[in-house]
Amino acid sequence: MDVTVYTFFSPNDNDILTIESTASAAYYLTKVSGKTIKVVSDKPFSPPTGMQVGAVPAVLHEVHIFGMSCQRCVNAITEALQELPLQAFQIRLKEERGLFACSKEFQVTTIVNIINNIGPKFTAVASNRTTGLLSEMKTSNYDVRGMTCQRCVAKIQDVVGKL
């Protein structure tokens, strides 16, 4: 989906809070620092306060991320993706997904590969809205008994991960 990444700056914390509350209709927002905020939207966005310092066209990608259980997981993924040329992104723990705004030339498979290579805990799949991969994924449930420690879990994850 084509979107625009709007960047706003304000030295006033109340202005940043106003931009955040106004951005509820947008797809998401990312605080770049305490005084800078990015808002991603497919519609023109103009909050009542703050100074717009940029507006860049982008493509919005959604990646489903399975295996996240806490904020440390979000931080690990964020750190791994920090150096990519993304205009903005947000990892949503409760929704098990990430939203990524990037140039039209950027391949979403790069994000998927990096997340999948962080470790066996995470499985990333691009949404069918961007690549159609999610529709190819199949899910099966198995009842596994006899595991007594984390090493048992790790061994099973290792073997299944190689399938």
Side-chain angles (χ1 to χ4, degrees):
M1 169 187 298
D2 290 336
V3 296
T4 302
V5 179
Y6 298 94
T7 304
F8 297 93
F9 170 81
S10 178
N12 182 333
D13 289 338
N14 289 332
D15 287 352
I16 296 295
L17 292 173
T18 301
I19 293 170
E20 286 179 338
S21 64
T22 308
S24 62
Y27 284 100
Y28 67 95
L29 49 95
T30 303
K31 281 189 177 178
V32 178
S33 69
K35 306 296 182 194
T36 305
I37 192 167
K38 291 187 177 187
V39 177
V40 177
S41 181
D42 63 343
K43 298 175 179 67
F45 179 78
S46 181
T49 184
M51 179 174 68
Q52 182 175 330
V53 294
V56 180
V59 176
L60 183 66
H61 293 283
E62 179 179 15
V63 174
H64 295 273
I65 307 168
F66 304 99
M68 294 188 297
S69 58
C70 64
Q71 188 59 41
R72 286 179 38 188
C73 296
V74 172
N75 294 344
I77 293 169
T78 299
E79 185 176 320
L81 300 174
Q82 205 65 44
E83 298 301 317
L84 291 179
L86 302 170
Q87 274 104 9
F89 71 94
Q90 185 179 64
I91 307 298
R92 295 181 174 181
L93 175 64
K94 290 181 181 176
E95 298 172 21
E96 293 187 309
R97 69 183 179 135
L99 297 171
F100 303 89
C102 49
S103 69
K104 290 182 188 285
E105 297 80 29
F106 188 84
Q107 298 294 315
V108 71
T109 53
T110 302
I111 296 167
V112 170
N113 291 336
I114 288 173
I115 294 171
N116 286 335
N117 286 321
I118 292 174
K121 180 175 182 167
F122 303 120
T123 302
V125 181
S127 168
N128 57 2
R129 286 193 292 175
T130 53
T131 65
L133 292 178
L134 190 61
S135 59
E136 297 174 16
M137 189 171 146
K138 306 230 184 313
T139 302
S140 299
N141 293 318
Y142 298 94
D143 187 19
V144 179
R145 298 174 191 260
M147 294 188 297
T148 58
C149 65
Q150 186 58 37
R151 289 181 60 196
C152 297
V153 173
K155 181 66 176 172
I156 291 170
Q157 287 177 330
D158 183 51
V159 170
V160 172
K162 293 177 182 174
L163 297 177

